[in-house]
Amino acid sequence: MIYRKRKKKHNNDRLDRQICRQGRTYEAFKSYIENTDENQVVEMDTVKGKREKSQCLLTMIFRKNSVMLIFLLSDCKAESVTGVLDFLEKGLGLERFMRLFPVVLTDNGSEFKHADRLETTKELEDRTKIFYCDPMASWQKRKLKRTMSLFDILFPKERVWHFSQRKRWFY
């Protein structure tokens, strides 16, 4: 049997994630939400397909009305996630973007490790506030996880990735 070569883990990546979480923990999120409306929160996560594929889906759900946005990313890297937020900001305009995405709650994935790039525009203006869930606490993003469990039932990974290659999702 032939085994695939393992990728080397970089310890500095873990350190980068710990640094970006400072002041953006779930506890900080709860205290921030006390002063604002909890319905203004957008929950964000990525869904990875088969291990052989590098594509992933970036999912965002608005707590207020359960509207979900899904973007197909060519890879699951921080630059791709930042590119989606830049795309949304450019299309919506900064003022509307700030109204729609005032607070984003996400997990500790490496694709979200550059919080300062996600929170600011290319011109270094504030556009959103990023907070991170605690490790192994998916219940903190309850609406997104519940919706994604239904999504997994409707679209098993083999089927979703099959359609994503054809650039269409439904028959």
Side-chain angles (χ1 to χ4, degrees), residues 3-168:
Y3 293 101
R4 191 175 67 190
K5 257 184 147 177
R6 290 184 180 215
K7 293 182 182 179
K8 290 184 180 180
K9 292 187 178 182
H10 300 286
N11 290 337
N12 62 347
D13 185 48
R14 185 175 175 192
L15 183 62
D16 287 346
R17 280 188 265 166
Q18 290 174 348
I19 291 170
C20 78
R21 282 181 45 90
Q22 291 178 349
R24 296 181 176 101
T25 62
Y26 191 71
E27 291 299 319
F29 167 74
K30 288 194 304 187
S31 64
Y32 184 83
I33 286 300
E34 287 176 359
N35 301 328
T36 60
D37 183 16
E38 187 175 344
N39 287 328
Q40 293 183 335
V41 176
V42 177
E43 298 175 6
M44 181 168 65
D45 200 0
T46 54
V47 180
K48 295 174 178 84
K50 293 181 179 180
R51 288 183 182 242
E52 300 86 36
K53 304 270 184 194
S54 62
Q55 293 178 329
C56 71
L57 298 175
L58 177 67
T59 58
M60 300 177 187
I61 192 163
F62 296 86
R63 279 189 180 176
K64 184 176 186 175
N65 52 17
S66 298
V67 170
M68 181 179 255
L69 302 177
I70 302 174
F71 297 92
L72 178 63
L73 303 179
S74 58
D75 56 23
C76 203
K77 295 186 178 176
E79 294 78 23
S80 299
V81 175
T82 305
V84 169
L85 291 183
D86 291 341
F87 170 77
L88 288 170
E89 178 208 329
K90 184 178 177 183
L92 296 169
L94 182 58
E95 185 180 324
R96 190 172 293 144
F97 181 90
M98 290 172 66
R99 251 191 349 253
L100 290 172
F101 299 91
V103 179
V104 177
L105 180 64
T106 188
D107 59 17
N108 296 291
S110 61
E111 61 272 20
F112 305 119
K113 70 180 177 183
H114 298 300
D116 52 343
R117 293 183 198 163
L118 297 172
E119 286 183 336
T120 58
T121 65
K122 291 180 180 177
E123 293 80 26
L124 301 177
E125 296 179 54
D126 290 339
R127 66 177 170 192
T128 189
K129 189 83 173 131
I130 300 285
F131 291 99
Y132 295 96
C133 293
D134 294 329
M136 305 301 288
S138 62
W139 56 269
Q140 292 173 344
K141 292 186 299 181
R142 61 189 179 274
K143 189 166 284 246
L144 183 65
K145 291 301 176 183
R146 192 176 327 132
T147 305
M148 289 312 297
S149 65
L150 296 172
F151 188 83
D152 290 341
I153 293 169
L154 292 172
F155 303 103
K157 286 185 180 182
E158 298 81 27
R159 188 171 176 190
V160 170
W161 298 126
H162 171 72
F163 288 119
S164 68
Q165 290 172 350
R166 291 186 183 179
K167 303 292 185 212
R168 66 180 226 207

